[in-house]
C-alpha cells in the first residue's frame, strides 16, 4: 500500500511538469505553423503580383510600335527604298506613315541627320536609312546603324523592329545584328528581308560547285566578309525570321548583274544551323541590280510579309 501511495505521489508531482512540456511543445508547434502559413501567404502574394505584372507588360508590348527600317545601298540616298514603298502603296492613303528619314555620315564621325517624325498612333511606321555614297563596308554600316538605332530607342522607346536591306545595306543590317543585336537595349529584329544582299564579296561558284552545294554546305571560297559572318552567326536571335531575295536576271551567269546567287544565298545554311526560320526567293526579273527596287514582284513580296492586311 505504501508503495502504491508513493507511486501516486510521484505521478502527481510529474504530471504538472508533463502538462507544461506539452503546452510548450504545442505553443512552439503552433508558432512554426503560423510562420509557415505566413510564408505560404507571402509566396502566394508574390506569385500573384508577378502574374498581374506580366499581364500588364504583355498588354503594353502589344501596343508598342514596330518600325521597319529600310537600309539603302551604296548609292548614298533613299531612292531605292522609296521605289519599294511606292511600289507597295501606289495609293498613298493606304500606306503606313513614312515619317522618318535617318542619314548617318560615316565620313564625318557618323554625324546624324534626322528629318520627319513618327506618329504615336502609327503601329508600323516606315524609317528610311542611308549613309554617304560609296559605303559598302559591313562594319562601317554596322556602326552607322548603331547610331540610328540608339536614336530610335532613346526617342521612341522601341523594343522591336523589322529590317529591309538592299544590296550592301543588307550586309550592313546583318553586321549590325552580329555586332550589337545582343545588347540589352537593342531592339529585337523580328523580320529581316535581304534584297540582293552581299555576304561573300560578289564571289561566283567555283568549278564543279552548284547552288545546292552552297545552300547545303556553304561556299567553297570564303572571303573575309563571309568569314566575319560565319564566325559570329550564333549571335543572331533564332527568333528572327529571314527572307533572302535575289533577282534572276541572267540564268546563264547566275547573277542579277552585280551580286551572284552564290553570294546572296551563301548565309542560308548558317541561318538554318542557327534554327532561324529562313526563306529564299529567286525571282525572275528583267531588271538589273540597280533597278530591282522598282520591280513589282519585289514590292509585292515585301508587302505580303510586313503589311499583309494593308
Amino acid at each position: 500500500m505504501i508503495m502504491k501511495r508513493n507511486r501516486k505521489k510521484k505521478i502527481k508531482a510529474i504530471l504538472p511538469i508533463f502538462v507544461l512540456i506539452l503546452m510548450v511543445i504545442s505553443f512552439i508547434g503552433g508558432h512554426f505553423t503560423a510562420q509557415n502559413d505566413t510564408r505560404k501567404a507571402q509566396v502566394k502574394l508574390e506569385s500573384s503580383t508577378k502574374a498581374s505584372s506580366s499581364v500588364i507588360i504583355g498588354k503594353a508590348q502589344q501596343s508598342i510600335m514596330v518600325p521597319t527600317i529600310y537600309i539603302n545601298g551604296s548609292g548614298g540616298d533613299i531612292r531605292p527604298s522609296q521605289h519599294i514603298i511606292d511600289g507597295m502603296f501606289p495609293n498613298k492613303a493606304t500606306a503606313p506613315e513614312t515619317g522618318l528619314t535617318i542619314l548617318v555620315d560615316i565620313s564625318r564621325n557618323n554625324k546624324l541627320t534626322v528629318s520627319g517624325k513618327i506618329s504615336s498612333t502609327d503601329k508600323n511606321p516606315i524609317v528610311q536609312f542611308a549613309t554617304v555614297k560609296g559605303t559598302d563596308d559591313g562594319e562601317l554600316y554596322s556602326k552607322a546603324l548603331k547610331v540610328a538605332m540608339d536614336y530610335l530607342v532613346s526617342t521612341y522607346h522601341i523594343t522591336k523592329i523589322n529590317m529591309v536591306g538592299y544590296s550592301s545595306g543588307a550586309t550592313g543590317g546583318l553586321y549590325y545584328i552580329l555586332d550589337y543585336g545582343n545588347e540589352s537595349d537593342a531592339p529585337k529584329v523580328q523580320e529581316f528581308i535581304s534584297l540582293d544582299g552581299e555576304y561573300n564579296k560578289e564571289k561566283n561558284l567555283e568549278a564543279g560547285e552548284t547552288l545546292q552545294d552552297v545552300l547545303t554546305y556553304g561556299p567553297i571560297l570564303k572571303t573575309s566578309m563571309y568569314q566575319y559572318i560565319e564566325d559570329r552567326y550564333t549571335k543572331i536571335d533564332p527568333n528572327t525570321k529571314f527572307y533572302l531575295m535575289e533577282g534572276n536576271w541572267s540564268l546563264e551567269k547566275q547573277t542579277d548583274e552585280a551580286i551572284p546567287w552564290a553570294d546572296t544565298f551563301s548565309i542560308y545554311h548558317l541561318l538554318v544551323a542557327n534554327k532561324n526560320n529562313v526563306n529564299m526567293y529567286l525571282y525572275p526579273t528583267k531588271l538589273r541590280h540597280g533597278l530591282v527596287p522598282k520591280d513589282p514582284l519585289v514590292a509585292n513580296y515585301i508587302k505580303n510579309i510586313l503589311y499583309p492586311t494593308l
Side-chain angles (χ1 to χ4, degrees):
M1 291 293 292
I2 294 173
M3 288 178 66
K4 287 182 179 180
R5 286 175 184 173
N6 289 339
R7 195 179 302 161
K8 286 181 180 180
K9 285 181 181 180
K10 286 181 181 178
I11 291 171
K12 285 182 179 180
I14 294 170
L15 186 61
I17 297 172
F18 181 72
V19 171
L20 180 62
I21 292 170
L22 286 175
M23 289 176 65
V24 170
I25 291 173
S26 176
F27 172 75
I28 293 172
H31 183 62
F32 278 131
T33 302
Q35 277 190 331
N36 288 336
D37 289 342
T38 303
R39 287 171 185 164
K40 288 177 183 176
Q42 287 175 344
V43 170
K44 287 179 181 178
L45 179 61
E46 288 171 0
S47 298
S48 175
T49 303
K50 287 178 180 177
S52 62
S53 296
S54 66
V55 170
I56 292 170
I57 291 171
K59 287 180 179 177
Q61 285 177 339
Q62 290 174 7
S63 65
I64 290 174
M65 66 176 68
V66 182
T68 297
I69 184 166
Y70 289 78
I71 310 166
N72 290 275
S74 60
D77 57 46
I78 64 169
R79 281 181 294 178
S81 63
Q82 193 59 56
H83 291 317
I84 296 172
I85 295 163
D86 291 342
M88 289 190 294
F89 304 104
N91 180 1
K92 305 295 183 185
T94 63
E97 295 181 29
T98 301
L100 203 62
T101 298
I102 300 178
L103 305 177
V104 177
D105 191 339
I106 63 168
S107 67
R108 299 176 63 184
N109 197 29
N110 286 328
K111 180 185 176 183
L112 177 70
T113 302
V114 179
S115 58
K117 62 180 181 179
I118 295 176
S119 169
S120 60
T121 60
D122 193 355
K123 303 304 180 187
N124 303 107
I126 289 173
V127 180
Q128 293 174 281
F129 171 89
T131 184
V132 296
K133 186 174 182 178
T135 306
D136 62 356
D137 183 286
E139 292 183 73
L140 293 177
Y141 253 110
S142 175
K143 292 174 183 176
L145 276 167
K146 178 66 165 62
V147 173
M149 291 296 180
D150 286 348
Y151 171 81
L152 290 172
V153 170
S154 63
T155 306
Y156 297 102
H157 313 292
I158 64 168
T159 59
K160 298 177 182 178
I161 199 163
N162 298 319
M163 288 183 167
V164 178
Y166 165 58
S167 191
S168 55
T171 315
L174 183 59
Y175 269 54
Y176 165 82
I177 293 174
L178 299 175
D179 296 339
Y180 304 107
N182 288 326
E183 292 190 355
S184 59
D185 60 343
K188 297 295 182 184
V189 180
Q190 293 189 147
E191 318 270 2
F192 184 96
I193 301 174
S194 165
L195 176 57
D196 289 7
E198 179 186 8
Y199 307 109
N200 199 24
K201 208 60 180 176
E202 301 178 17
K203 295 303 178 185
N204 282 297
L205 297 170
E206 293 291 285
E209 185 182 27
T210 67
L211 181 58
Q212 186 58 52
D213 292 333
V214 173
L215 296 175
T216 306
Y217 308 109
I220 294 174
L221 180 60
K222 301 179 180 181
T223 65
S224 58
M225 176 186 284
Y226 176 85
Q227 288 174 336
Y228 190 91
I229 299 168
E230 185 179 43
D231 291 343
R232 295 164 177 80
Y233 77 93
T234 55
K235 293 183 177 182
I236 299 171
D237 185 345
N239 294 309
T240 301
K241 295 181 180 179
F242 280 83
Y243 303 85
L244 306 177
M245 302 178 65
E246 176 71 12
N248 178 10
W249 176 74
S250 172
L251 179 63
E252 181 183 352
K253 296 180 180 179
Q254 296 196 354
T255 182
D256 69 347
E257 178 202 28
I259 309 295
W261 307 346
D263 179 342
T264 205
F265 295 132
S266 63
I267 60 171
Y268 179 87
H269 76 294
L270 297 177
L271 298 172
V272 170
N274 198 51
K275 309 297 185 186
N276 292 93
N277 184 325
V278 53
N279 301 271
M280 56 177 290
Y281 181 31
L282 183 61
Y283 62 93
T285 184
K286 295 180 179 180
L287 300 177
R288 301 186 183 200
H289 179 77
L291 296 175
V292 294
K294 293 183 177 182
D295 197 311
L297 285 176
V298 168
N300 289 335
Y301 188 73
I302 295 174
K303 184 176 183 291
N304 287 334
I305 295 168
L306 298 177
Y307 317 101
T309 61
L310 295 181

